[in-house]
Every structure is written in structure tokens, then in C-alpha cells.
Amino acid sequence: MDVLDQMAEIVRQNPAVTVQEAARALGYSEAKSIYYWLHKARFRGFKEFKKAVLTGVFPERLRRPSPLPNRVRERRPAYSSDLLPLARGLGPDGGPVWAGVSPLPRRDLSERAFALDWLSGEYFPFFMAGDQLAVDPEAPLHPGDTVLAIAGELPVLLRYYGPEASPLFAHPVTGQPQEWSLPPTLVGRVMAVYRNL
């Protein structure tokens, strides 16, 4: 049983447990050891971890494999249907902020696919504010594909060019190479754009 599973069991036994009490129960002298493991698992804090354990989101959140090492892992909505779940944006960790179900069909997309309300006009005319993007985190990437990514804390659209180990990203409209001090985190491939005219 790994540390996070042990922490989860402590939370299940005592939902009111504090981070200091959890640290002592695991044999740590300081609470910062708990925060180390939470940060590694992309939890923002002990309260978020406790909520994930008590609502059943954990361990599902960590068990999902990611095709590329630099792809975002997000919580899946609690429902499944033939329609794509709708995200109104991306959270600070790059995971979708769920808003319900979109009218867009899932078709041949993976279970992790979702629709995203795109609010930026930066990529006009290819992508406009008000478009819904069908994003599939499990779709394989090929040179020239448009991908949704997180650069800093902002969602961006990029044109992807391999190889996977050190990809090159270009602006989807201008074609200019894009560079950052830290590489962007891939969310998924943009499979389709839906626009209400």
C-alpha cells in the first residue's frame, strides 16, 4: 500500500483528521511530508485530498494512465452518456471545470473526451469565441494536429509537431514557433470544432 492509499485509509477512518494527525499516524515528524505527497499527486491541499477520498474521486484520479508523460490528468464527471461532458474552462491544474453535458455526440471519441466552451478570439478565423471544441486526451498525436494545452496557467491552442520527447509547437494561425520557459502541458487533441452560425 503506497503513502496516498495509507492517507486515504486514515481519512476514511476519521474524516475530521488534521494534516498533523495524519503525519503522526504515518510516522512523519512534520506535516510537510504529507504536502510533498499531495503535491506529487497534484492535490492543492489536504482539504482537497480529503474531499476526493470521501466523494470517491480518489483513487480514480490517480489510476488513469496518460498516453504522453506531459499530459494533464483530470477528474472524469460522475456520469457517462453518448454525449460529451461539457467543460466551461480549465482549472489551475489543467483539468476541466465541468459544467454539465454538451449537445455534442461522443461518436468515436474516447471515454475521456469532452467538449470545451472556447472563449478567446485570439485564433480567429480558425477558432472563435463561442466555439465548442471536442477535445480527446487519449487521441494519438500526429504532426500538424491542433492540441489544447496549458502554458503557464492559461489554456492555449497549438499546432503540434513531434517527436513526443521534444515536440515543437506552432501558433495555429500564424504558424510561428511558440517557445516557453517551461514546456506546455498537453490536455488533448482537438478533434472537431462546433460553431453556431
Side-chain angles (χ1 to χ4, degrees):
M1 182 180 289
D2 69 15
V3 175
L4 288 174
D5 289 331
Q6 292 174 10
M7 287 170 46
E9 190 57 35
I10 291 168
V11 169
R12 287 186 198 101
Q13 290 175 9
N14 178 10
V17 67
T18 66
V19 69
Q20 290 81 10
E21 292 169 340
R24 280 194 300 273
L26 291 170
Y28 296 125
S29 59
E30 296 184 32
K32 68 181 180 181
S33 298
I34 297 288
Y35 290 112
Y36 165 81
W37 290 105
L38 293 176
H39 178 73
K40 192 171 179 179
R42 295 187 177 196
F43 285 99
R44 289 181 290 229
F46 193 61
K47 285 183 182 178
E48 182 184 14
F49 177 74
K50 286 193 338 183
K51 182 178 178 183
V53 170
L54 297 173
T55 60
V57 172
F58 176 88
E60 175 68 20
R61 176 179 185 171
L62 300 180
R63 299 287 189 262
R64 187 177 297 118
S66 181
L68 287 178
N70 200 24
R71 287 205 183 184
V72 168
R73 294 183 183 124
E74 86 286 349
R75 296 180 199 161
R76 190 182 329 175
Y79 49 83
S80 64
S81 72
D82 293 332
L83 301 176
L84 289 176
L86 177 65
R88 66 172 175 260
L90 299 176
D93 62 348
V97 177
W98 301 114
V101 180
S102 78
L104 308 178
R106 183 175 299 280
R107 294 197 182 129
D108 297 326
L109 303 179
S110 77
E111 286 297 314
R112 291 182 58 211
F114 62 94
L116 173 69
D117 278 333
W118 189 252
L119 304 177
S120 170
E122 177 183 350
Y123 305 109
F124 181 83
F126 298 121
F127 305 96
M128 294 175 23
D131 287 349
Q132 280 195 358
L133 311 180
V135 179
D136 193 342
E138 294 184 2
L141 299 179
H142 305 287
D145 284 344
T146 300
V147 295
L148 175 66
I150 300 293
E153 293 185 2
L154 299 174
V156 294
L157 296 175
L158 302 167
R159 195 76 64 195
Y160 166 88
Y161 297 95
E164 288 183 13
S166 58
L168 170 72
F169 295 102
H171 192 280
V173 177
T174 66
Q176 295 298 312
Q178 303 288 290
E179 295 183 21
W180 294 271
S181 55
L182 294 172
T185 302
L186 295 178
V187 175
R189 180 175 159 197
V190 176
M191 304 299 289
V193 179
Y194 299 91
R195 181 172 296 161
N196 290 324
L197 299 177

